[in-house]
């Protein structure tokens, strides 16, 4: 077990963990959907509204200056978090979904044409499928899909067979939300680049577990959502290489993204503002910095090591349950464990666990094609974060035994 972190002390940083659900202490195991927020993030949110709520970039009064400074400081913090070469390459978005749509609607509509091919994978979240399908419908380009094996790993030789001079774009998930698989993204990127294709990584799940370095990865685009990393909902980033972002047209039109507007013609602002029309989610952007500071304080390696302990313990204990099958047993995994139980519907499992105060995710996890690949309609998914404990895993296992007794 990891002894560098005092988990009980960490739990005190998260007020929500004291909630009582159905008369039971909350056991929150739905972290892949969203993580809980530590007190310093909550304080940053209310602190902004209480002390310096103002619109950014345009005001000259003190509150506006303070809000602008905090907003731009957060951008710098996010730049450091992913090791982007410059802050101008870090676009503030509403989250991963927004980032992918931005790329599909700007880069895609400008540079991908009829007959071109876009490669995604079987394990994509709907947010990395539908924007590309919409583009294909509009432009007449073709979607290709990398298959996976029964363990939930990409078939890399099949990926290589899909690559050709027609491949213009590859958009894959760094870490699967439904299976926990960590994909070999560096290899994907170098192979895609070898045929001249650009690569976007969906980092929604990777960001809270893995060290991120977009320069080392050499990806063309990277998107993530802060609410998966102990930060606020409704904000995220899109990293893009400068030359690509410069060549792309703006996404949404409005205030902030312009240089000059006349009725005859509008010229656009520089990076990153060209892609940031309208008043952004200022409070959430400001608070994001504190979430990343918190992660740094604990140390990402320490967090990952604790989560891996929980994953190993949970996987072994789940395998002891008769009639339970784990979906997703990749060699490289984060702390997400999905499973099905013989003859018991995942929704019933979720409802019974909830009666015991245990929050898990049930359903297709926005990955319906992946569920089809496994011939299932959904799974029950437990996903662990830094504040989870072995005792909570034990409560999950105990809860599943109760499920079996009632419905098995
Ligand atoms: N991709 C993956 C792998 C995800 O897990 C999620 C969130 N469930 C998303 C994309 C979408 O993220 P958001 O809803 O924050 O835009």
């Amino acid at each position: 077990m990891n002894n560098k972190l005092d988990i009980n002390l960490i739990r005190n940083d998260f007020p929500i963990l004291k909630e009582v659900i159905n008369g039971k202490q909350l056991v929150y195991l739905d972290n892949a959907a969203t993580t809980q927020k530590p007190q310093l993030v909550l304080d940053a949110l209310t602190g902004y509204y209480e002390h310096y709520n103002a619109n950014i970039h345009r005001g000259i009064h003190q509150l506006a200056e303070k809000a602008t400074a905090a907003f731009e400081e957060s951008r710098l913090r996010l730049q450091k978090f992913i090791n982007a070469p410059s802050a101008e390459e870090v676009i503030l978005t509403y989250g991963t979904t927004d980032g992918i749509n931005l790329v599909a609607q700007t880069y895609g509509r400008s540079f991908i044409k009829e007959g071109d091919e876009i490669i995604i994978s079987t394990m994509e979240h709907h947010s990395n499928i539908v924007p590309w399908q919409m583009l294909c419908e509009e432009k007449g380009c073709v979607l290709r899909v990398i298959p996976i094996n029964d363990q939930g790993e990409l078939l890399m030789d099949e990926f290589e067979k899909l690559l050709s001079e027609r491949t213009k774009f590859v958009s894959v998930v760094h870490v699967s939300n439904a299976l926990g698989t960590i994909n070999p993204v560096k290899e994907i990127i170098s192979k895609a680049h070898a045929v001249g294709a650009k690569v976007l990584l969906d980092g929604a799940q990777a960001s809270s577990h893995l060290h991120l370095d977009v320069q080392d990865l050499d990806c063309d685009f990277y998107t993530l959502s802060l609410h998966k990393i102990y930060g606020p909902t409704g904000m995220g980033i899109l990293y893009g290489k400068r030359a690509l972002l410069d060549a792309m047209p703006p996404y949404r039109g409005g205030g902030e993204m312009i240089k000059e507007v006349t009725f005859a013609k509008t010229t656009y602002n520089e990076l990153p503002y060209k892609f940031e029309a309208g008043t952004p989610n200022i409070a959430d952007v400001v608070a994001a910095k504190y979430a990343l500071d918190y992660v740094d304080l604990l140390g990402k390696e320490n967090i990952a090591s604790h989560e891996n302990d929980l994953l190993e313990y949970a996987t072994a204990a789940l395998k002891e349950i008769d009639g339970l099958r784990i979906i997703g047993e990749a060699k490289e995994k984060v702390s997400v464990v999905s499973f099905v139980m013989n003859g018991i519907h995942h929704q019933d499992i979720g409802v019974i666990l909830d009666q015991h105060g245990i929050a898990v995710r049930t359903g297709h996890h926005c990955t319906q094609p992946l569920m089809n690949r496994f011939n299932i309609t959904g799974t029950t998914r437990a996903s662990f974060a830094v504040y989870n404990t072995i005792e909570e895993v034990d409560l999950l296992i105990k809860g599943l035994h109760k499920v079996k007794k009632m419905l098995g």
Side-chain angles (χ1 to χ4, degrees), residues 32-33 94-98 100 123-128 173 175-178 202-205 224-228 234-235 365-366 381:
Y94 296 105
T96 308
T97 307
D98 193 32
I100 298 171
M123 65 175 88
E124 297 311 317
H125 189 279
H126 295 163
S127 63
N128 199 24
V173 73
V175 168
S176 159
N177 62 312
D202 167 355
Q205 296 294 333
L224 56 87
S225 304
L226 261 291
H227 71 94
K228 312 270 191 190
M235 78 106 357
H365 315 294
C366 297
R381 181 189 71 188

Side-chain angles (χ1 to χ4, degrees), residues 4 19 32 35 50 90 97 114 128 146 148 158 203 227 236 302 305 313 352 379:
K4 289 203 182 124
E19 287 295 302
T35 52
E50 282 170 2
V90 178
T97 307
E114 191 176 347
N128 199 24
I146 314 169
I148 58 169
E158 296 296 324
H227 71 94
N302 295 333
S305 156
Y313 183 83
I352 295 174
T379 73

Side-chain angles (χ1 to χ4, degrees), residues 100-249:
I100 298 171
N101 276 280
L102 191 163
V103 175
Q105 289 298 311
T106 60
Y107 184 88
R109 284 172 97 185
S110 304
F111 299 108
I112 300 177
K113 29 179 222 314
E114 191 176 347
D116 287 347
E117 294 182 359
I118 299 166
I119 299 179
I120 58 170
S121 86
T122 305
M123 65 175 88
E124 297 311 317
H125 189 279
H126 295 163
S127 63
N128 199 24
I129 302 173
V130 185
W132 302 114
Q133 285 176 325
M134 289 162 67
L135 183 71
C136 288
E137 233 167 75
E138 183 186 325
K139 306 288 287 192
C141 45
V142 181
L143 204 59
R144 300 265 182 234
V145 183
I146 314 169
I148 58 169
N149 63 21
D150 291 340
Q151 283 69 48
E153 297 164 315
L154 294 180
L155 293 173
M156 290 300 285
D157 47 348
E158 296 296 324
F159 169 59
E160 281 184 55
K161 283 187 211 154
L162 291 176
L163 285 170
S164 74
E165 73 283 355
R166 289 185 303 279
T167 313
K168 289 295 173 301
F169 209 91
V170 177
S171 192
V172 289
V173 73
H174 193 169
V175 168
S176 159
N177 62 312
L179 307 173
T181 310
I182 303 173
N183 285 322
V185 288
K186 267 189 103 160
E187 192 185 338
I188 291 173
I189 291 163
S190 70
K191 291 197 164 131
H193 282 170
V195 299
K198 303 294 181 223
V199 182
L200 178 147
L201 295 182
D202 167 355
Q205 296 294 333
S207 51
S208 69
H209 306 284
L210 306 181
H211 173 70
L212 299 181
D213 183 339
V214 292
Q215 294 188 68
D216 179 55
L217 287 169
D218 195 28
C219 55
D220 300 288
F221 300 98
Y222 199 98
T223 80
L224 56 87
S225 304
L226 261 291
H227 71 94
K228 312 270 191 190
I229 330 166
Y230 312 107
T233 54
M235 78 106 357
I237 53 170
L238 168 71
Y239 157 77
K241 285 182 179 167
R242 184 188 294 267
L244 297 175
L245 293 176
D246 271 335
M248 283 151 58

